[in-house]
Amino acid sequence: MKKPGMLDRASLRARSRRRTLRSTAAASAAVVAAGLLLAVAPSQAAEPWQPDSGYTSTDKGDGSYTVPLINADVPDVSVERIPASENDEGRDIYYMISTTMHLSPGAPIMKSYDLVNWEIVNYVFDRADISDSFSLRNGQSSYGQGQWASSIRYHGGKWYVAFNTNNLGGSYLYVTDDIDEGSWERIALGRAYHDPSLFFDVDGTPYIFYGSGSTSAVKLSSDMKTVVAEYPQVLRTSDYPGASFIGGLFEGAQVQYIDGKYYIVIITWPSGQGRQVALFRSDTLLGRYATVDGSNPYEAKGVLNSNGFAQGSLVPIAAEDGATDWSGMFFRDTFPIGRIPALIPATWSDGWPTFGNNGSVPVNGAFAKPIELSPEEALYERQKSIVVSDDFDNDAPHRAYMDEDWTIPAPPNVDQSLLGVELLANPGFESGTQGWIVNDTATIAATTDAATGAGALQVTGRTTTGSGPAQDVSGKVQHSVTYDISAKVKYVNPNSPATKQFFVTARYGSSTFTNLASVTATRGQWATISGSFTVPASQSLSSMRIFVETPWTATPSTAPDTHLMDFTVDDVSLKGRPLTTELPHPDEIAPNGSRLALPWEWNHAPDNRYWSLTDRDGWLRLETGKVLTGNLKHLKLANDDEATYLEEARNTLSQRTFGPRQSAETKLDISGMKDGDVAGLAAYNRGFSYVAVKRVNGVNTVGVVNRSQPFTTAIDQAAIESFVPGTTAAVGSASEVHLKADLDFANPTGQLWTTFSYSLDGVSWNQLGNRVGPQSLDGSLTHFMGHRVGLFNYATQQAGGHVDFDHYLLSDTLTAQNLPLDESDLDAAIAYAGTLEESDYPEADWAELEELLAAAEQAAARTPGTQNQIDAPERALSLQLARLGVVKEADPTLQVAATASTRCVAGKAVLTVKVTNEDAVAVAATVSTTYGSKTFASIAAGKSAAQAFTTRLVGIPTGVAQVAVTATVDGEPISTAVETTYPAHSCG
């Protein structure tokens, strides 16, 4: 192993390729200018390079930050630290996980070194599962459901994540030994744990705390796969009568062990108050289950009630004295941006924290950063963001979740010959009673009183409500098939009620009955029973009959005219629908060779057959794989509200929005669109605004769509997504269209208003009408996340069309601010890059810099049309420049040591300096002191040389001897300076 300070041979060899970027920068700019418009020369030298913080960072660059912490939707946060002593980097590292519900990939792993600046480094899963619900198949969705409220823990060299799903089979535990890049093992816990908090006790025993309204716990086996003990209601609100901070919401438990006590963080929402943090502590983890008399040992205290900052984690921070401080990471509702976390410092007294400024946490209030980094590290960290501009070059880092493997279930085993044909014999009774039997007790006979045709069936002598005509369909009805059932009925008894309900019912075996369809008939008139059904997979079909009956009552004979009247049946029909169920396809799930930047997520699990970064280099292709049906419903809502076309579009690619202002720009190649296709740029949730190109009868038109609250149960999808009057423009024969969305969350706060523009060349822009909105939180929590910006393409008439997106460019400047385009930051970054020397940096990082610099110079050489076109390349270049400051290779040094001593000779002080060459090559050294100097022309490797300096003084004060060391290695001169201190000495 090379000793610290030893000569780095690779660095020396790299000096043969030493150069700066000044010459290449100028040459590249000249090439670009030759083919494009020449940029106007700057009137003055570039300003110093002082890049802004990332879009989602509130780091002020002066050692402080403001809260909320991240200007984007990061709810239900859980944070875990891996101490410096347990990782390869030698410093504390923090990881945070959040809720992403229906998005794919999901459960993002975010990383930070200072708890203020965060980046996404991985995801727990690509798909939560391959079901219809997570894949927007067959009318199913996971809007507002999917993955919720994770907890993250590090234990025994492994990382664990636990979360609940509301509609995907309950809770899951994921395990990995490489949180940054590795794959995760998936463990189904077999049931739902609301807001699960994984906790390893001091002896390593794993528990999950969970619940809403109370907090319960389960103990897990050592392999984490089995529940071995249950502890219901460890915390009960009834145990704290009169506590003003407890009431309403009571969930989101997160457990920590601090200084010998167990702490449980809970979010509460008492009536008439805001969301707040309640903290519970005890000497025993399981509370009343560990006390002799079953009493509750958990003390409770309201520790934060300020501006709605609530649910989250306690976070450990290493203090200078070696102790551990604990702060809070709690989120705040800031819709329509979303739920935004905040790092809130705490002052602890008597084992209880006081958060913020004596309990107050002002929105946009500033706090000192808790972890001090080097200036280079601090600059790099605050360039990071959880949103990103993208050129779609397919150069994102590979992660294991991208290769996730799933087993495709076998398709249903269905006899196709029994589909689409009549399954009943003699359905119209034209052959009398042939094929028909009686359910229970009755008499059936042919009659000419028919609804259609010549015959019908008369039912008389009924003794039960279930007495009626029946036919055995065993061996004909199958699982996984939807059946349409119908029958006509009539009753004429003048003593019977004026109306009567009739059912077609399925009887399985002798004791299982299911009503399939019904109608309320009017006496003396034919009525049609009709409906559809699918037999559950769990239901045996070995014996099945269908029959017609009236509603069950225990004692029908007490009122036979009401319950046992005669009736007539005609035109009974049972047909299985041809299979139209969309089944999972292996290619839908298999990796397609495309790697998106980590901030991107799909609207539900994508169909990988219909998107690509490889079909066309440098472009994102979105193909319409199927025609939308307009039949998707929000089944989580009580009334099954209908969803919009945009919500049904599966391969919509999105990122978080950020506040208070955001601009997003893209360019589309629309030449591959088909009639009925709609493609564009959306700011979306259940309510949405978007700018899109629609192709109708071969004509492309650009316009704006806006859907705001209130939402209704039944909707006209086409009408909702029609263009707002006054916002349209014909694009003629243009094959490329530039689109821009300016999102304003600050005017007013709590609403999103968006202004859309388009351009045919990217330079001259046209605004499409006035700003549209407002968008706000959907009170039904149908999506329950912040608005996102999405790229989409969907079909309403025919599949197979495609749109290519060239880039996605971000800025925090809106056109409505009427600011001149500002290239100063871009110029400063380019100028600073020109001062760097290649040999100072790792080869791969330098190559990345050269690529980003070339893109920045091309942007500077063009005439910009928007601030996005300036900011996107500048931000990318500045991030890499900041990274280079961290990875810069130290200048090569020589390993030489020096010591000094003093003694008396003949009553005079003598100073002796010894130089020891610990390097592998011979060195020359010059020793300089107040009392003279000495040069050693060559000191062999591993050898020493010394020089005694006679001072001619009786005493000398403390001083420093300096040693200048030089050597030549591989033809390159290397120099190192060392010094040594000598003590005062007296000979008198």
Side-chain angles (χ1 to χ4, degrees), residues 85-99:
S85 60
E86 297 184 44
N87 68 68
D88 294 336
E89 297 189 44
R91 53 177 173 164
D92 288 357
I93 308 173
Y94 293 87
Y95 292 91
M96 180 166 66
I97 194 167
S98 178
T99 293

Side-chain angles (χ1 to χ4, degrees), residues 281-572:
R281 75 175 184 187
S282 169
D283 293 328
T284 61
L285 174 65
L286 297 174
R288 59 192 179 90
Y289 291 97
T291 58
V292 175
D293 58 359
S295 61
N296 172 33
Y298 270 99
E299 306 171 83
K301 186 174 183 179
V303 294
L304 181 60
N305 182 11
S306 181
N307 287 311
F309 291 99
Q311 190 169 346
S313 298
L314 294 177
V315 182
I317 302 172
E320 291 184 0
D321 61 1
T324 299
D325 294 331
W326 291 83
S327 291
M329 185 73 83
F330 306 120
F331 72 77
R332 177 180 186 271
D333 285 2
T334 313
F335 289 99
I337 299 174
R339 294 178 286 169
I340 305 180
L343 177 66
I344 304 174
T347 302
W348 289 71
S349 177
D350 296 327
W352 293 104
T354 299
F355 290 100
N357 300 320
N358 197 28
S360 174
V361 184
V363 176
N364 298 321
F367 296 100
K369 294 175 65 175
I371 299 173
E372 184 176 350
L373 304 177
S374 71
E376 294 80 10
E377 291 170 337
L379 177 63
Y380 180 42
E381 292 307 305
R382 70 181 182 88
Q383 298 306 298
K384 295 177 179 178
S385 177
I386 61 172
V387 299
V388 66
S389 298
D390 202 342
D391 55 12
F392 299 125
D393 273 353
N394 199 28
D395 55 358
H398 180 269
R399 292 293 184 265
Y401 74 83
M402 300 175 182
D403 301 324
E404 205 170 71
D405 187 30
W406 290 89
T407 299
I408 306 297
N413 183 18
V414 173
D415 185 345
Q416 300 280 342
S417 69
L418 294 176
L419 304 182
V421 298
E422 181 58 62
L423 297 179
L424 298 177
N426 190 22
F429 306 103
E430 302 304 311
S431 299
T433 62
Q434 180 181 336
W436 291 89
I437 59 176
V438 173
N439 189 69
D440 289 353
T441 303
T443 298
I444 58 173
T447 178
T448 57
D449 181 15
T452 63
L457 194 69
Q458 180 72 32
V459 185
T460 60
R462 301 170 64 227
T463 61
T464 67
T465 56
S467 297
Q471 189 164 140
D472 191 292
V473 292
S474 303
K476 296 180 180 180
V477 173
Q478 308 173 80
H479 292 122
S480 304
V481 176
T482 299
Y483 291 90
D484 294 313
I485 184 76
S486 63
K488 290 184 171 66
V489 296
K490 182 176 72 170
Y491 69 102
V492 295
N493 186 344
N495 297 319
S496 294
T499 61
K500 184 65 178 178
Q501 189 177 27
F502 287 82
F503 292 101
V504 173
T505 300
R507 174 176 171 174
Y508 306 98
S510 61
S511 59
T512 301
F513 299 86
T514 302
N515 297 132
L516 304 178
S518 69
V519 71
T520 299
T522 300
R523 185 178 58 231
Q525 299 178 19
W526 286 101
T528 300
I529 307 171
S530 65
S532 62
F533 68 94
T534 301
V535 179
S538 59
Q539 177 60 59
S540 172
L541 292 173
S542 60
S543 175
M544 177 183 179
R545 68 172 59 167
I546 64 156
F547 63 96
V548 181
E549 65 171 340
T550 53
W552 181 85
T553 183
T555 56
S557 59
T558 60
D561 289 334
T562 299
H563 303 297
L564 300 175
M565 74 282 285
D566 300 341
F567 61 86
T568 306
V569 180
D570 198 3
D571 297 337
V572 187

